[in-house]
Amino acid sequence: MLENWVVIPTCLPLVLRRCHACASERFRASGKFRVNANHKLIDAWLLALCTGCGDTVKLTVLERMNVRSVRPELLDRLHDNDRGLTAELLQDPVVRRRNRIALDWGNAWRLDTGGPDRPDREVIDVSVRFAAPIPVRPVRLIAEGCALSRAEVERLIAEGNVVSAVRLSGKLTGDFTFTLKR
């Protein structure tokens, strides 16, 4: 029987970028946008607050774009300070590259295993789905979902008792399946 686990974001990730006012390197996305139009050109920024000093940084979303080339739905979402748009933009690789930022997903996600009961069968087939592209180590997911220590999961992988079509070392952001033999 195949079990389904889901990695779900619980809040917005922290933005990793150096603060100009203090030594902090973490910003919290405020979920608010600043939109500025000058004749036919428009700029839009996502505002983020430094976790150390509270200073505000503007992350560029739109830069000197013709107003007519921007979808009206996007403009409405920017003006409404849409939290969903904030999450979408933080995960957009173009926005991250343009602003030279990275994301810190620590404590911003949870694993939903479908219930409090832990599987106690000899062989467990699990499909892990990601609701958002959150980089997580599969060893951590397996340990948390099966109530094992990470060292125990590493030992099971080395013995060949945990098998998967994907590499289980490193971090993954996409769906995968694995089989655990006890």
Side-chain angles (χ1 to χ4, degrees):
M1 185 169 127
L2 183 69
E3 296 208 14
N4 294 306
W5 294 356
V6 183
V7 177
I8 303 169
T10 57
C11 62
L12 293 174
L14 292 176
V15 175
L16 298 177
R17 177 179 171 164
R18 185 150 185 90
C19 179
H20 296 291
C22 71
S24 177
E25 294 186 357
R26 297 192 182 327
F27 286 82
R28 183 168 311 286
S30 67
K32 297 187 183 206
F33 294 92
R34 166 103 197 277
V35 180
N36 185 25
N38 186 3
H39 299 288
K40 295 180 183 179
L41 301 178
I42 190 168
D43 296 306
W45 301 275
L46 171 62
L47 302 178
L49 304 172
C50 176
T51 58
C53 66
D55 196 33
T56 302
V57 67
K58 297 188 296 188
L59 304 176
T60 303
V61 176
L62 302 174
E63 187 172 38
R64 312 304 291 161
M65 289 191 66
N66 191 314
V67 175
R68 292 181 186 256
S69 67
V70 179
R71 294 185 331 269
E73 311 86 52
L74 177 60
L75 281 175
D76 290 341
R77 291 177 77 186
L78 287 169
H79 288 298
D80 294 339
N81 292 321
D82 187 347
R83 298 276 295 172
L85 180 61
T86 301
E88 290 172 28
L89 291 172
L90 285 177
Q91 294 174 11
D92 185 357
V94 174
V95 172
R96 290 198 320 251
R97 189 172 34 254
R98 177 187 293 153
N99 292 287
R100 295 186 194 104
I101 61 171
L103 300 179
D104 178 10
W105 281 98
N107 300 324
W109 61 271
R110 69 178 175 83
L111 179 65
D112 181 16
T113 59
D117 56 323
R118 301 287 185 217
D120 57 354
R121 297 185 305 272
E122 287 295 317
V123 177
I124 305 165
D125 291 319
V126 179
S127 171
V128 180
R129 189 176 59 81
F130 286 77
I134 303 169
V136 182
R137 296 185 187 282
V139 171
R140 180 175 178 187
L141 293 176
I142 296 168
E144 187 175 322
C146 295
L148 300 170
S149 69
R150 289 189 203 175
E152 180 72 12
V153 173
E154 294 281 355
R155 185 184 62 76
L156 290 170
I157 291 171
E159 292 174 354
N161 290 332
V162 176
V163 291
S164 178
V166 299
R167 187 174 53 99
L168 296 175
S169 61
K171 293 185 176 184
L172 292 177
T173 58
D175 302 350
F176 70 98
T177 59
F178 69 90
T179 303
L180 170 68
K181 302 171 199 163
R182 293 190 185 190

